[in-house]
């Protein structure tokens, strides 16, 4: 079924996402506070709207792709916003990256005012948005997901329903936690290489071809701890040794290793947890024990 969509927030991500919906044959009524974004959208074949009310007027689905919590709250719940102007029963797909608690509260308020909402943030980049190859992490009712699925499929090539309301946005925040900490780890590592006199290009070539760069989540975790196998491919005791080597090198060279220092503390706790001889991926179990959730989750 072709839907008429009110699309609010036609920026770096929202602009291309709205164009993908147009390309899939949906009617898209777009609004952005920046008139240049609205004009560009109209040139691409979308309907330009003067405000949120106009974007909602004939929509059966409203999509928001806005910068921060306060913009989402204002657009959805403000006096000139979606709750005040959308048709009863309209499905709101909230695709921005905001605080999960805000998302849940906004969803509750929308429901109270006769609308439905899914949190459906996206992973990947503006280039993927232009290519219709985003990853959608959706949270909310199964029937809403089924209805939204063709719209998600127009914008993404990986669409996942994570569970009840709030689970999509929680997963997005968790995803970005890993992405941003990885940013620091990558910068720390390349700085250490530079201080050690190794050309950055050479360091990148090595790291892209070892587990260090290919990612624990892709390589070791699925085949070891997540498969219930703690027999050591590489035990935590040797991980502790290697991390100490890295930190000693960094200290000699004057390279800042913030994350490495924290990681060393954790590796140093492995004997106290009785896990020194287990595979390095048993680090997950140490953290789960510290968090009081050991054994609660399902494996792969
Ligand atoms: P952006 O700033 O490029 O776009 C946001 C748009 O919202 C802007 O065009 C702005 O004018 C508009 N806007 C702000 N307030 C508005 C209002 N009250 N009414 C109507 N329009 C309004 O940001 P973006 O990069 O497109 O990101 C949007 C969301 O997606 C953010 O939450 C971001 O964290 C998330 N995200 C971004 C990326 C990325 O790589 N850029 C990737 C995934 C998710």
């Amino acid at each position: 079924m072709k839907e008429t969509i009110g699309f609010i927030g036609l920026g770096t991500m929202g602009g291309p996402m709205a164009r993908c919906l147009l390309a899939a044959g949906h009617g898209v009524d777009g609004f952005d506070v920046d008139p240049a974004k609205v004009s560009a959208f109209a040139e691409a074949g979308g309907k330009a709207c003067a405000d949120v009310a106009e974007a909602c007027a004939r929509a059966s689905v409203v999509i928001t792709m806005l910068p921060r919590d306060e913009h989402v709250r204002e657009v959805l719940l403000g006096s000139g916003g979606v709750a005040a102007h959308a048709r009863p029963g309209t499905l709101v797909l909230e695709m921005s990256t905001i605080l999960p608690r805000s998302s849940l509260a906004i969803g509750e308020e929308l429901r109270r005012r006769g609308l439905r909402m899914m949190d459906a943030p996206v992973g990947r980049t503006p280039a993927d948005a232009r290519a219709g190859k985003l990853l959608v992490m959706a949270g909310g009712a199964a029937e809403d997901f089924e209805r939204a699925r063709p719209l998600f499929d127009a914008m993404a090539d990986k669409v996942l329903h994570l569970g009840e309301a709030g689970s999509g946005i929680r997963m997005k925040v968790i995803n970005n936690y890993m992405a941003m900490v990885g940013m620091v780890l990558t910068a720390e590592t390349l700085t250490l290489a530079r201080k050690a006199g190794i050309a950055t290009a050479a360091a990148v070539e090595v790291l892209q071809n070892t587990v260090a760069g290919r990612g624990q989540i892709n390589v070791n975790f699925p085949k070891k701890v997540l498969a219930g196998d703690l027999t050591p491919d590489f035990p935590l005791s040797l991980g502790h040794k290697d991390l100490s080597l890295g930190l000693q090198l960094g200290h000699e060279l004057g390279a800042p290793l913030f994350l490495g220092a924290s990681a060393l503390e954790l590796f140093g706790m492995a004997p106290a947890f009785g896990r020194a001889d287990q595979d390095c991926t048993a680090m997950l179990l140490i953290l789960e024990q510290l968090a009081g959730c050991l054994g609660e989750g399902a494996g792969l």
Side-chain angles (χ1 to χ4, degrees):
M1 185 178 86
K2 298 297 176 200
E3 304 265 12
T4 299
I5 299 152
F7 203 114
I8 302 163
L10 300 166
T12 306
M13 298 295 285
M17 288 161 68
R19 284 186 190 83
C20 286
L21 291 165
L22 282 175
H26 300 286
V28 187
D29 298 356
F31 173 67
D32 193 294
V33 281
D34 178 352
K37 302 275 171 45
V38 181
S39 307
F41 180 61
E43 276 163 31
K47 176 171 178 269
C49 296
D51 51 26
V52 171
E54 191 183 349
C56 291
R58 57 176 199 142
S60 49
V61 175
V62 168
I63 296 180
T64 44
M65 192 55 173
L66 298 159
R68 294 170 186 273
D69 292 41
E70 57 268 29
H71 306 111
V72 175
R73 183 171 285 280
E74 174 64 23
V75 164
L76 289 177
L77 302 179
S79 56
V82 172
H85 294 286
R87 301 188 309 177
T90 295
L91 175 61
V92 174
L93 304 176
E94 208 305 282
M95 304 189 78
S96 328
T97 303
I98 62 173
L99 191 67
R101 190 157 32 84
S102 302
S103 174
L104 279 172
I106 292 167
E108 264 312 305
E109 179 62 17
L110 286 177
R111 264 181 288 282
R112 219 180 49 76
R113 291 163 77 169
L115 307 185
R116 308 176 68 90
M117 183 179 116
M118 289 202 91
D119 44 295
V122 298
R124 302 186 178 155
T125 65
D128 295 311
R130 289 191 288 277
K133 292 190 171 171
L134 292 170
L135 182 153
V136 171
M137 307 163 226
E143 64 195 281
D144 291 337
F145 180 73
E146 283 317 308
R147 178 162 170 216
R149 178 89 210 216
L151 308 183
F152 294 148
D153 284 338
M155 299 181 274
D157 66 3
K158 186 101 179 158
V159 178
L160 299 169
H161 185 203
L162 277 301
E164 62 190 13
S167 52
I169 189 63
R170 284 199 194 104
M171 188 61 231
K172 170 64 181 170
V173 169
I174 292 162
N175 175 79
N176 284 23
Y177 170 80
M178 187 168 178
M180 293 308 128
V181 176
M183 209 75 81
V184 178
L185 177 61
T186 304
E188 251 184 21
T189 306
L190 292 180
T191 304
L192 178 60
R194 174 158 303 179
K195 287 290 253 183
I198 294 163
T200 300
V204 168
E205 191 173 0
V206 169
L207 296 167
Q208 284 179 340
N209 288 284
T210 65
V211 176
R214 280 154 62 208
Q216 297 294 347
I217 201 80
N218 286 314
V219 185
N220 286 330
F221 272 60
K223 73 173 188 217
K224 299 303 292 182
V225 68
L226 296 178
D229 179 6
L230 300 179
T231 57
D233 279 1
F234 193 66
L236 278 158
S237 56
L238 282 184
H240 184 258
K241 182 260 304 179
D242 280 8
L243 190 51
S244 306
L245 298 179
L247 280 159
Q248 286 176 61
L249 182 64
H251 286 147
E252 281 166 24
L253 299 171
L257 298 176
F258 297 98
L259 294 182
S262 309
L264 188 69
E265 293 300 317
L266 279 166
F267 271 90
M269 286 182 190
F273 283 81
R275 298 190 182 278
D277 297 328
Q278 294 180 347
D279 189 73
C280 268
T281 58
M283 180 58 74
L284 174 64
L285 307 182
I286 293 177
L287 268 294
E288 285 184 349
Q289 267 174 278
L290 287 170
C293 65
L294 182 65
E296 281 178 17
L300 272 189

